[in-house]
Structure formats: structure tokens, C-alpha cells
Amino acid sequence: MSLTHAPAGAVRQGSLRELNLALVLGRIAAAERPPSRADLATATGLTRATVSAVVEDLLAGQLVSESDPAPRSGAGRPARGLVLADQGPAGLGLEVNVDYLAVCVVDLAGQVRHRTVHRADLRPVAPADALARLVELAEAAREDAADQGLTLVGAALAVPGLVDDDGLVRLAPNLGWSDVPVPALLAEHPPLVEQVPGVPALVVDNEANLAALGELHARPPGPASFLHISGEVGIGAGIVLDGALFRGVRGWSGEIGHLPVHPEGRPCRCGGQGCLEQYAGQEAIVTAAGLARAELPADTATARLAELAEAGDAAALRALHEAGTALGVAVAGVVNLLDLDTVVLGGGYAALATWLCPPVLSEIDARVLTAAWSPVTVRPSTLGAEAAAVGAAGSVARRIIAQPAGWLARAG
């Protein structure tokens, strides 16, 4: 009998190789110390011969490299360990925010190899022009990456707004963007990355989501469930539950900046009233502290607030306390709803956490039902203001690790 089709459930040889490549590379990426080939065979259940063949492919494709063997007291030659390569494929992270553009390159090991921040008020700038400026920064990043032996394989763009599955920015109120086709606008420029099967050339996502992913995968590792709040001109939140980002039905979860803390309060750019960002956004805090925003460069606003608070300036301390109180009201509602025990203050909030944490915790203690016997931790972000761009680039690097066969096919 001749067989023209594989039986149901059978795995093609090519598919089996792809699975083995991803399995072994994933183990290397997750290992606390560089594993040997024997360690990988034990951990994966693959034969030593299969592991050796897979490792040779990964070495040839610049996905892993060998490390010096650890000292040993027993007989025999110590085995060489395997680590993620510091050359080869890398991810490109991009960010458009209200008052800055950022570009970041992250290698497979999660190390930041390039970062550029360009400060400018982008509210009066047309989306196409803002993205054109971002492309210029990205081209410089690509050149720098190439000089370091890195090839940019995919890109992720962080935007402070609601983004659909096709990368269309439905609404970014603080930027004044509405229904902006970001992928189409970027397609008018030369490609920023090399196309590799299994890795999208461009993913567009909410900046708070990507910041939360950056925090989730930062080192040292933190909790598997937390609320990450990005405090910039606007305020966004990324919700991580059991190690996965919670996106909601349409992918638009986390708009904590538009939770009303004073229902009849100040008008907001979103069309509502009394939204959190009108009381705890960066511009709201600066104004309440008596600082002239027009005279204060965007990159020094947070630093200046921290400097004044450290010196005991009454207006700055009062502004931070009021912002922290408003933030605590909103956070308490989220904690009550989702039963989270960790809140991470990111973006501009990270540098101001010393003064924001006490009033946030005070509101949590007063409003969260379980706070008396199950305390909530509020702490600054590990990555701070870099979280969104680093998280964006890191998300690309993790895609490569999850699907290395595409890169190897291109490299081969």
C-alpha cells in the first residue's frame, strides 16, 4: 500500500525539528545556570544525540554560544555550558509617547544593547510626521546594532492608546490620535527589520501592556501577578495574572487613567470628568507643585519634582501627596476587583515612589476589604521609564526564542 498522506496526528520531520529547536532553546533561556548538553537531554527527555544535533544548529545560527565550564572536583573533563548568544538576532522596541520618542534594541538574553530617547512635545505633530521621526531614530539603532553583530528581526511599537489587532490606533487622546493606521504609515518607509518566518515584522500595542511585560521578564524575577501603572502625562496600567498579560475582550484593558476619582471634577481629554490622570498625571502634579510646565523641559520634570520633595518643598510635597491619594483611590478599586497583592509604579512614577507610595498605601488600607490581613505591596518598577521600549524589544526577542526555526532558515 502506498501512502500519499501522513496519518492523522503524525508529526512531520520538519515540524519535529522545529519543536526540538524551540524546546532546547527555551530550556537554555530559562536555565538559572548554563546547562550542558547532558543537562538538556535530562531536562527535555531527548536523546543525547538529538540534543547534540540541535545544539550544533543553534550554535551555527548564532542563537547560543558556549560558556566556560564550571569548576568541578570529580574526575573527567567538565562539560561546557550553553548560553543565549550576544550576537545574531535581536528585537527592536519603539515607543511614541506624549512628550518623547524612544528606541531600544534587546538581544536574546534580554540585555539592552541600544537605547535612544528623543524629547519633544508630540501633541502638535501629525502622526505621520511623528512616526517619520521615530524611523530616523530606528535607523540609527539598526546601524549601531549591526556594529555589535546584531540583526534586527522584528519590531514592537508602544503607543499610549487603544490599539486593535491590526495595529490601528483607535484612540490616543493625549496625543490627539484617532484611527491612525500605524502599520500603513510605517510601510511608506524602508523596512526597519529583516523578515523572518514566525516573527511579525511589526506589532503595535498599548504602551502600558508592553511596560508590564517588560517588568514581568525583568531580572530578578518578581511576582507572577501584579498591576503595573505607567505614570506619564497620561496614566495607563498593565494587568498581569499568573504570568500572562490580561488584555480584556477587545485588548483594551488597563485604562486606569480614565477611572473617575472625582465624578464631577475636572474635564478630561477623553471627554469624561474627574479622571485619575487629571489629578495624578505628570502635568497635573507639576502644575499643582507650582512649576511652570512650559519652562520645564520634559526630561527634567520628574527629576525636578523629586529634587524639590527631597529638599522639603511644601508645594511639591503637597502635590505628590494629593496625586498619591487620587492614585490610591483608583488602585484600591482595581485591587478589590482583581485580588492583586502587588502594585508596581512605573514610568515617571518610579522616581517619585518615595512620596507616592505612602498615600497610595493609606488609601489601599482604608478601601481594600482584605488589606488588614493580606497586605498589598506597592513598589517602584525595576525598569522605570524604560519599561515600555524595553518590554517591546524583549517581546520580539522572546518570539525568536519560541520559534527559532524561522531565523535558522533565514541564516542558513
Side-chain angles (χ1 to χ4, degrees):
M1 180 177 69
S2 64
L3 295 178
T4 57
H5 299 284
V11 178
R12 293 184 297 106
Q13 188 66 30
S15 297
L16 182 60
R17 176 178 178 272
E18 292 172 7
L19 290 171
N20 289 341
L21 286 167
L23 176 62
V24 172
L25 187 58
R27 289 286 183 173
I28 295 171
E32 294 184 1
R33 62 176 182 82
S36 66
R37 290 165 173 78
D39 293 332
L40 291 169
T42 300
T44 62
L46 300 174
T47 66
R48 290 199 178 194
T50 298
V51 168
S52 292
V54 169
V55 167
E56 290 306 312
D57 284 343
L58 296 174
L59 286 167
Q62 291 188 299
L63 291 171
V64 302
S65 60
E66 292 183 309
S67 66
D68 293 332
R72 58 182 294 180
S73 56
R77 187 174 65 182
R80 294 178 67 84
L82 295 158
V83 297
L84 295 173
D86 60 4
Q87 294 186 327
L92 175 65
L94 309 169
E95 182 180 4
V96 177
N97 218 305
V98 177
D99 53 2
Y100 67 87
L101 299 168
V103 173
C104 179
V105 174
V106 168
D107 64 20
L108 293 187
Q111 298 300 309
V112 176
R113 305 291 291 273
H114 176 97
R115 177 165 170 81
T116 301
V117 178
H118 173 71
R119 297 285 176 177
D121 186 349
L122 296 171
R123 282 169 287 197
V125 180
D129 294 335
L131 293 172
R133 295 184 191 180
L134 187 65
V135 167
E136 292 180 3
L137 298 178
E139 288 173 343
R142 181 178 57 190
E143 293 177 3
D144 183 34
D147 290 341
Q148 299 181 60
L150 297 169
T151 300
L152 301 184
V153 170
L157 170 61
V159 180
L162 305 178
V163 185
D164 71 12
D165 293 339
D166 296 322
L168 178 70
V169 179
R170 287 291 187 183
L171 182 66
N174 289 314
L175 277 171
W177 288 15
S178 178
D179 290 331
V180 176
V182 170
L185 292 174
L186 288 176
E188 296 175 3
H189 300 271
L192 296 172
V193 300
E194 292 202 18
Q195 186 67 56
V196 167
V199 181
L202 175 68
V203 172
V204 185
D205 203 348
N206 175 268
E207 61 89 16
N209 284 341
L210 290 171
L213 287 177
E215 186 69 22
L216 175 65
H217 294 284
R219 293 289 182 267
S225 298
F226 59 90
L227 175 70
H228 182 282
I229 304 176
S230 298
E232 305 291 350
V233 173
I235 305 172
I239 303 166
V240 176
L241 302 176
D242 295 328
L245 188 67
F246 175 76
R247 293 183 174 275
V249 174
R250 294 164 295 180
W252 299 343
S253 67
E255 289 297 321
I256 193 172
H258 298 289
L259 288 181
V261 292
H262 297 289
E264 304 300 325
R266 301 168 190 164
C268 181
R269 296 181 185 90
C270 73
Q273 284 183 268
C275 293
L276 174 63
E277 70 178 38
Q278 296 304 312
Y279 299 88
Q282 186 182 87
E283 288 188 338
I285 303 175
V286 168
T287 300
L291 300 175
R293 178 69 182 180
E295 300 174 5
L296 190 65
D299 57 339
T300 62
T302 299
R304 181 58 176 156
L305 279 167
E307 181 183 288
L308 289 171
E310 189 72 40
D313 181 84
L317 290 172
R318 182 172 58 253
L320 288 167
H321 182 82
E322 291 174 354
T325 298
L327 184 59
V329 171
V331 166
V334 176
V335 171
N336 273 326
L337 184 65
L338 298 178
D339 186 27
L340 296 169
D341 64 1
T342 303
V343 177
V344 179
L345 301 183
Y349 284 160
L352 301 172
T354 298
W355 302 279
L356 292 174
C357 283
V360 170
L361 284 167
S362 178
E363 292 300 317
I364 289 173
D365 289 342
R367 298 172 184 274
V368 173
L369 299 175
T370 59
W373 64 87
S374 182
V376 175
T377 298
V378 181
R379 63 169 177 83
S381 163
T382 301
L383 298 175
E386 298 186 357
V390 172
S395 70
V396 176
R398 290 189 295 276
R399 284 181 182 270
I400 300 168
I401 292 171
Q403 301 187 60
W407 165 259
L408 293 178
R410 170 263 177 206

